[in-house]
Amino acid sequence: MIGGRLVREFSLGGALRFKARLMSCLVLASFCCAQGVATSAETPSRAPDAANVSPIAYKQTLTAQCGSLYRLLKVPMRDACEGVIAQGVEVARSHLGRPIFALRTGAPLTDKSATRVLILGAVHGDELTSGWLSLKWADLAPPMTEKRTYSVLHVPIVNPDGVFGAKPSRTNGRGVDLNRNFPTPQWNPEANRWWVNKTKRDPRRFPGHAAASEFETKYIMRVIETFKPTVVVSVHAPLGVLDYDGGGPLPERIGSIFLDSLGIYPGSLGHFGSRSRGVPVLTVELPHAINLVSTEETKRMWRDLFAWIDKYANYDSQAK
Ligand SMILES: [Zn+2]
């Protein structure tokens, strides 16, 4: 670790740390407006038919979503959903009108040398641990290294309709598998062909009627376009492996999870990010969708993740 403003911000304890993060979130809010990432002010024209939207959903905060997630996981609320998590900024709406929140940690966006990392959780709504881990990670400052700072954008619950519906579901509020809805090359007809032939029309894996048909998919695409992440990390469950779409040094191990390719799927974020946008996508498949990883493992994974990102960023900067 070296000296510098970020180290001071994240090492002076609770109050200052909280303040630093609050400022980060305010910067995030202005970033969203400036860069065209969907904000609550922009969303009405994109929002679904008002008849579909529960007025209660509009009142939800990230703290309420976090609390609901903890209840679903049947874990105590102690120390949960506070601090930085309460400072999330609504950046988009789901199909059923639930807010999608983002929050930022690490170096300010004005630090052009910072490596940008986008972390996504709960793309599949029934993989509850992925949302939980993404929230926990948002409460850990990214580590600093000799040469590098990080700016991290967290979207802990990409698919709130899937998480908070009557019963948690893989798909979004329109029954679409978001991780098959990204506009990969030949999406039409490959995505539908894959759904029919490989899944036998499994409704949990329906790719949608058109590529990028869903609000949630469009939002992630806009974030990739505007935030310009160096690396995307998408947390899933319950396969217990790492899947990597990208070049450079391979992420061999994150915590106790090891690399093991899951293959290429039409419409997946990994396929879209790496092939269509040139951004590597690391998919972290936790071993369970309900059973949480330990606090120690959460921190170990965070450290290993950034150790790999550091290697990747060095490789990337040399390649440019
Ligand atoms: Zn998944």
Side-chain angles (χ1 to χ4, degrees), residues 232-244:
V232 176
V233 179
S234 186
V235 187
H236 287 255
L239 302 179
V241 296
L242 303 174
D243 186 36
Y244 179 58

Side-chain angles (χ1 to χ4, degrees), residues 122-127 130 170 177 179-180 234-239 283-285:
V123 171
H124 290 142
D126 57 356
E127 298 166 4
S130 74
R170 176 182 173 95
D177 181 342
N179 206 31
R180 300 291 179 270
S234 186
V235 187
H236 287 255
L239 302 179
T283 301
V284 178
E285 282 272 354

Side-chain angles (χ1 to χ4, degrees), residues 37-38 91-92 100 102 155 215-223:
V37 175
V91 286
I100 298 171
V155 187
F215 293 133
E216 299 89 341
T217 313
K218 287 176 184 154
Y219 167 62
I220 297 304
M221 289 170 64
R222 282 205 303 283
V223 168

